[in-house]
Amino acid sequence: MKIFIKIVKVVFTILLFAFSIVIIYFIALAPKEKRFKIAEHSQGAYLSQTMFDILKFQYPNYSDAYFEQSVAFNKRGEYAKGFELLDKAVQLDPKLHLGYRGWMKLRKLRDFENSLSDFNRLDSLTPNFVDTPWGEDIDFLRGECYFGKKDYQKAIELFNRNIKNQKEDWTDIHSFVYLGLCEYELGYYKKAISEFQRALNQTKNVPESYFGMAKAYLKLGQIEKAKENILKAENSIYYKRNDVYNEFLNEIYLSEILEFKQILN
């Protein structure tokens, strides 16, 4: 029996040693791309962060390691640490990471001025090419920045450029919604309605357009049309622009639709 116990202990010791060797290999010795993939897929975990730290130590100019490590911190709202890492990634490879940093500053921090600075710098580094930071047209994002700054005339210029880039039938329908919102803010209510209608020409399920049209018709004194459109906004609210991680600048809510509806009634 004692011999059996000793054998079991030896076997467990060998297995534990082998397991430790495998872990050390994957953490510190495997090809950097393979380790990056492992760390990327366990984003935010202690093992993932440790692997990124080792990768940065071994390859101090590996911008992707700084970028990917920043994502978990920024998702948790730890922006000081997240942007420290992201800034390093941008420093090492601005073409690759400027767009994401600008997108983060717009969507997460509402830092419109510095977001624009990143987008403009990226644009200057890629002449004759339309950039799409984080999958969105750069002029659409710059238009949102100017909208956030309340520079509606400049926002109109950028949203129109975005539509020209992407073509009328393929552009993000919220390009038209934003154009309508800008014209509304400038006091051009009929023009605002025509821009909101351009979004509805693409699809009838755009509650942001119906809500905008309702407000514009109220300004024009056309109460029945305002009522008609606020009802459509209410009925299509589930199609609104929505993201569980971000609140959009043009995001609308059922509560404000119902409040506006009550005012009309």
Side-chain angles (χ1 to χ4, degrees):
M1 187 66 179
K2 289 183 178 179
I3 294 174
F4 176 74
I5 293 172
K6 285 183 179 180
I7 292 172
V8 170
K9 286 182 177 179
V10 169
V11 170
F12 271 109
T13 301
I14 292 171
L15 289 174
L16 182 60
F17 179 74
F19 179 74
S20 300
I21 293 297
V22 170
I23 292 297
I24 292 170
Y25 170 76
F26 276 114
I27 290 177
L29 300 174
K32 72 174 184 177
E33 292 79 9
K34 190 170 187 177
R35 284 184 282 156
F36 179 87
K37 285 293 181 185
I38 294 170
E40 180 184 27
H41 288 120
S42 56
Q43 193 183 80
Y46 177 78
L47 176 63
S48 170
Q49 296 297 329
T50 300
M51 291 177 77
F52 282 131
D53 284 337
I54 293 171
L55 282 169
K56 291 186 303 178
F57 176 76
Q58 293 174 325
Y59 306 96
N61 294 323
Y62 191 15
S63 70
D64 283 351
Y66 291 94
F67 162 75
E68 194 62 41
Q69 190 178 26
S70 77
V71 173
F73 288 104
N74 286 330
K75 278 185 175 179
R76 292 196 294 260
E78 298 177 36
Y79 297 122
K81 180 62 177 178
F83 272 86
E84 177 187 332
L85 292 162
L86 185 53
D87 289 346
K88 182 65 175 179
V90 170
Q91 179 186 333
L92 292 169
D93 194 336
K95 272 190 187 180
L96 190 58
H97 303 297
L98 264 172
Y100 177 73
R101 190 175 71 176
W103 185 90
M104 285 290 296
K105 288 175 179 178
L106 168 61
R107 289 276 190 267
K108 300 292 187 183
L109 304 184
R110 296 288 194 262
D111 185 354
F112 305 119
E113 201 63 57
N114 285 311
S115 179
L116 271 173
S117 178
D118 278 352
F119 292 142
N120 291 338
R121 183 183 168 201
L122 174 62
D123 199 30
S124 71
L125 294 173
T126 55
N128 304 315
F129 180 79
V130 178
D131 297 286
T132 54
W134 220 235
E136 297 187 70
D137 184 274
I138 191 169
D139 288 320
F140 179 85
L141 294 171
R142 286 193 284 203
E144 284 194 304
C145 289
Y146 282 111
F147 181 84
K149 284 162 54 73
K150 303 186 187 305
D151 187 344
Y152 301 116
Q153 204 61 58
K154 187 67 176 178
I156 288 171
E157 177 189 329
L158 270 298
F159 286 123
N160 278 323
R161 190 190 301 171
N162 162 66
I163 294 167
K164 183 179 179 181
N165 293 343
Q166 304 297 317
K167 310 305 180 191
E168 182 99 4
D169 293 339
W170 293 98
T171 193
D172 188 319
I173 58 170
H174 286 276
S175 303
F176 308 121
V177 173
Y178 272 120
L179 284 172
L181 292 172
C182 289
E183 297 291 356
Y184 178 88
E185 293 295 339
L186 292 170
Y188 303 123
Y189 305 121
K190 289 183 179 180
K191 178 64 174 173
I193 290 168
S194 70
E195 295 294 2
F196 289 131
Q197 187 59 54
R198 288 173 76 187
L200 294 169
N201 290 342
Q202 305 293 330
T203 172
K204 295 301 180 184
N205 297 315
V206 191
E208 295 86 356
S209 279
Y210 291 124
F211 192 22
M213 290 171 78
K215 291 192 288 186
Y217 277 123
L218 178 61
K219 289 288 187 181
L220 293 170
Q222 299 182 42
I223 306 301
E224 290 307 313
K225 285 192 174 182
K227 288 181 178 181
E228 176 187 332
N229 280 280
I230 200 62
L231 185 59
K232 289 180 179 179
E234 181 183 356
N235 291 337
S236 60
I237 188 62
Y238 296 108
Y239 295 97
K240 77 168 194 164
R241 192 183 189 204
N242 186 40
D243 183 329
V244 295
Y245 297 109
N246 304 296
E247 181 185 40
F248 294 109
L249 295 178
N250 69 326
E251 188 156 350
I252 62 173
Y253 298 93
L254 180 59
S255 59
E256 60 182 328
I257 289 174
L258 295 176
E259 183 180 342
F260 188 82
K261 183 180 177 183
Q262 190 172 5
I263 292 171
L264 287 175
N265 290 333

